[in-house]
Amino acid sequence: MSDQLPYQDASRGLDERVEDLLGRMTIEEKAGLMFQPMVFLPPDGSFSSEMSAFGRASLGELAGKHINHFGLAGASGARETAAWVNQLQALAASSRLGIPATLSSDPRHGFSSNPGAFTATPAFSQWPEPPGLAAIGDAALVEEFADIARQEYLALGLRAALHPMADLATEPRWARVNGTFGEDAQLAAKLTAAYIRGFQGAEIGPESVACMTKHFPGGGPQKDGEDSHFEYGREQVYPGDHFDYHLLPFEAAFNAGTAMIMPYYSMPVGTDYDAVGFAYNHGVITGLLREKYGFDGVVCTDWGTLTDMELMGKAFPARAWGVEHLDLSERIIKSLEAGIDQFGGEDCAEALVDLVQARRVSEERIDRSARRLLRDKFRLGLFENSTVDERAAEHIAGNPAFRAAGELAQRKSIVLLKNAGLLPLRGRPKLYIENIDPDVAAQYGEPVAQPGAADCTILRLATPYEPRDRYFLEAHFHAGSLAFDEAEIRRLQAISAQTPTIIDIYLERPAVMPELAAAASALIANFGASDAAALDIIFGRFQPSASLPFELPSSMEAVRAQKPDVPHDSKDPLFAYGFGLRY
């Protein structure tokens, strides 16, 4: 006779296992499921139960609160990360019921790092960011990327992806444009579905990484382009009456079977919905998501909607937009009434327990969310195998085939915007370069110290932004003006006047650059690409084939006049949506 309890027996049905485990859990254990704090992986991969989770409770204290969902920040080597995850799983296994931990992560395969949105991870293959995948426009390639990313996540023990972003880049100033598939809903829908298929497969199982698609009902139409991580960006607006347009990629995500949904912080203004943050919005979460779309998976808030924090010596207020006046208990209740299952970035499980014990929240309501959360743990096979092979991890993550696929995608994603007969370059010209590794450039030409001594100039630039640093994370969210300042324009024009100049610009957001486009002999755009990838395009070793996933406005006046919820609607864009030249 087996001594396994029913929930431990993989031969039993999913619902039976969930109900058996749920029936054995205390209210404290159920409440612990409903919180997902961030934990930090040190660069050296060291682990201790005394480690602090972003200045709050230690890992040991979180275990004492029965918390077993964690968002992982930071990066280390593949083997070190796998070992760290295994130690965390050992801590989880020591709990009364042995409920395994679910580790989630923001995107890790791009070039940018922002602790509030994505983490560049050298152990993984490196790919263009989502707008670059949209510039290629190939759903099969997106599914290939997601399948490779799935294998790399899986090797390290990461079982949930806090992505894809199904948001649309209809507001060019928004700091999170580089997480989207551009501004066209039909293309974004096609690529979102492919992304989810690559991570999850046809259905969720032991080889899947579960996707938390975000940010329902579409986080792109931010007032003045400001981001709702911060109070000044809390409003989401629809002057073009395009609310439903932003739902199209999410409809594709539902059809692809996304396991989870994350609403954004923003509060809708000027709609039929209450002007409160989406994590508190009953009409959006229950009325639209649950009832209209029939979504019965996990709904997890974005990080930090309940409590204020202090990080790195800076205040970071709770993103409780529209309900700032409510206390912690009232915020929890309002979110639960809206239809939320889990609180991202929070660890105040004891406050939820107090509400149940005071009969302000029913245990039946807690059970409803706990069932969804347990169901995903079972579907992912975590009860059978929560640990990973540390030696295999370093051979799977970032292996040569995966890296080659990412490098090829980088080249495919680069868009040729202007070519006044200069490209592709031939021979080994003398090159004046900026923001390019000289050792890489030397494989293509002869680097020189001054533009006047060069046959041509190659400048790698990035979309401008307005530096801000009042709140924690604010410096990492590049926002504000998209235009280069006058001094930089004059400097770059002076260089271009001395020698034929090629500008390669990283379009983290849609740059405003009419003067630079006019001065350059050639202009290319990238969405995350190595020096070698850009130079391969410039020297004709790879033919440009991509197209812009969003338009490039002609002026900041045009940016301010366009409607934040409407795609490609700025007046007389410098380069239109879908533009791209070929050799």
Side-chain angles (χ1 to χ4, degrees):
M1 295 287 291
S2 171
D3 58 357
Q4 284 186 321
L5 296 170
Y7 76 88
Q8 297 170 325
D9 185 354
S11 69
R12 294 178 182 265
L14 175 62
D15 291 342
E16 181 184 357
R17 298 181 76 188
V18 169
E19 292 304 319
D20 180 71
L21 178 53
L22 188 65
R24 298 173 188 275
M25 296 176 72
T26 65
I27 188 60
E28 290 82 4
E29 289 164 335
K30 295 174 184 178
L33 289 171
M34 297 176 64
F35 293 83
Q36 184 175 172
M38 292 295 290
V39 294
F40 185 74
L41 171 66
D44 64 0
S46 58
F47 181 92
S48 166
S49 63
E50 302 304 312
M51 293 175 66
S52 175
F54 274 79
R56 290 187 165 185
S58 70
L59 290 175
E61 289 168 333
L62 293 176
K65 295 183 180 189
H66 308 286
I67 288 172
N68 47 50
H69 291 82
F70 304 96
L72 185 66
S76 184
R79 188 166 184 167
E80 292 79 4
T81 302
W84 193 96
V85 169
N86 283 345
Q87 291 177 85
L88 182 65
Q89 291 292 7
L91 182 63
S94 69
S95 66
R96 184 178 74 91
L97 294 170
I99 299 174
T102 304
L103 271 292
S104 69
S105 175
D106 280 323
R108 289 179 171 269
H109 286 81
F111 281 74
S112 299
S113 276
N114 175 345
F118 30 77
T119 302
T121 302
F124 285 169
S125 55
Q126 197 167 34
W127 294 69
E129 282 143 12
L133 297 175
I136 301 168
D138 182 352
L141 185 141
V142 170
E143 188 167 345
E144 177 193 7
F145 156 71
D147 180 59
I148 287 173
R150 174 193 65 82
Q151 293 176 65
E152 294 183 315
Y153 271 41
L154 199 64
L156 272 57
L158 300 173
R159 300 308 307 276
L162 303 178
H163 42 96
M165 279 178 60
D167 310 293
L168 299 175
T170 51
E171 167 48 72
R173 290 169 290 183
W174 188 34
R176 305 201 66 179
V177 163
N178 70 333
T180 74
F181 289 120
E183 63 182 324
D184 182 79
Q186 284 73 29
L187 178 61
K190 180 176 71 171
L191 301 186
T192 295
Y195 194 104
I196 293 167
R197 289 194 301 269
F199 268 98
Q200 294 188 171
E203 59 183 32
I204 294 175
E207 298 299 312
S208 300
V209 171
C211 285
M212 186 181 292
T213 304
K214 59 189 184 187
H215 304 85
F216 191 81
Q222 295 297 130
K223 182 181 178 184
D224 300 325
E226 299 292 359
D227 188 77
S228 55
H229 274 81
F230 314 106
E231 186 274 338
Y232 53 74
R234 67 181 192 162
E235 295 184 1
Q236 200 157 294
V237 295
Y238 301 88
D241 197 27
H242 270 51
F243 185 95
D244 289 348
Y245 185 78
H246 291 260
L247 293 172
L248 296 178
F250 290 94
E251 293 173 358
F254 302 143
N255 290 334
T258 185
M260 298 169 279
I261 287 288
M262 179 191 290
Y264 210 28
Y265 303 117
S266 313
M267 48 187 277
V269 175
T271 74
D272 293 335
Y273 297 102
D274 291 341
V276 297
F278 291 125
Y280 296 97
N281 203 305
H282 182 274
V284 170
I285 303 304
T286 292
L288 183 59
L289 180 60
R290 296 287 194 203
E291 294 176 356
K292 177 179 176 179
Y293 286 119
F295 182 73
D296 193 37
V298 169
V299 179
C300 178
T301 71
D302 208 333
W303 263 228
T305 59
L306 295 178
T307 59
D308 299 339
M309 299 181 71
E310 182 174 312
L311 294 169
M312 306 297 184
K314 294 180 182 288
F316 199 25
R319 274 70 74 205
W321 309 139
V323 298
E324 294 93 334
H325 60 288
L326 299 183
D327 64 22
L328 174 59
S329 295
E330 292 166 332
R331 289 177 185 179
I332 292 174
I333 291 170
K334 190 168 181 64
S335 280
L336 294 176
E337 289 175 344
I340 293 297
D341 296 306
Q342 191 175 60
F343 298 95
E346 302 283 1
D347 61 25
C348 50
E350 65 280 1
L352 178 55
V353 172
D354 290 344
L355 289 171
V356 176
Q357 292 175 341
R359 298 187 177 181
R360 296 177 67 189
V361 173
S362 71
E363 189 164 358
E364 187 279 330
R365 174 63 187 87
I366 302 304
D367 286 353
R368 197 183 319 155
S369 292
R371 280 189 185 92
R372 293 183 180 121
L373 291 155
L374 289 174
R375 185 169 181 264
D376 282 347
K377 287 184 185 286
F378 282 114
R379 289 199 294 170
L380 290 168
L382 285 167
F383 282 86
E384 288 68 59
N385 191 14
S386 63
T387 60
V388 294
D389 184 329
E390 296 168 19
R391 292 184 64 185
E394 62 184 346
H395 297 294
I396 296 170
N399 70 56
F402 291 173
R403 290 193 184 276
E407 290 165 5
L408 177 60
Q410 292 172 36
R411 288 156 175 79
K412 287 183 175 180
S413 68
I414 293 173
V415 181
L416 177 62
L417 296 175
K418 179 183 178 181
N419 185 17
L422 180 62
L423 300 183
L425 296 181
R426 306 294 186 188
R428 284 188 54 81
K430 294 179 180 178
L431 302 173
Y432 173 73
I433 56 174
E434 291 187 2
N435 303 314
I436 298 175
D437 184 334
D439 291 337
V440 176
Q443 299 173 32
Y444 297 81
E446 180 187 342
V448 297
Q450 298 297 328
D455 296 313
C456 64
T457 287
I458 305 175
L459 309 174
R460 298 205 79 189
L461 309 176
T463 302
Y465 62 94
E466 297 173 8
R468 300 170 180 174
D469 197 19
R470 183 172 49 159
Y471 300 115
F472 175 72
L473 289 183
E474 195 179 21
H476 300 281
F477 284 81
H478 296 170
S481 176
L482 300 160
F484 288 84
D485 65 44
E486 289 299 323
E488 180 66 355
I489 291 171
R490 287 194 297 271
R491 187 185 78 84
L492 296 172
Q493 286 174 328
I495 292 173
S496 300
Q498 297 180 60
T499 180
T501 296
I502 303 153
I503 292 177
D504 168 33
I505 185 162
Y506 168 50
L507 291 181
E508 182 183 43
R509 300 182 297 153
V512 172
M513 52 178 180
E515 302 90 348
L516 302 188
S521 298
L523 177 63
I524 64 174
N526 79 82
F527 307 91
S530 67
D531 290 344
L535 289 168
D536 273 0
I537 293 288
I538 290 169
F539 279 81
R541 298 182 187 180
F542 197 92
Q543 301 295 307
S545 59
S547 305
L548 282 176
F550 41 66
E551 67 181 13
L552 299 186
S554 58
S555 67
M556 283 307 299
E557 290 74 19
V559 169
R560 288 186 283 268
Q562 58 90 48
K563 294 180 173 65
D565 58 323
V566 178
H568 34 80
D569 70 326
S570 73
K571 184 179 180 181
D572 300 325
L574 183 65
F575 295 103
Y577 169 82
F579 182 84
L581 300 175
R582 310 288 185 262
Y583 289 157

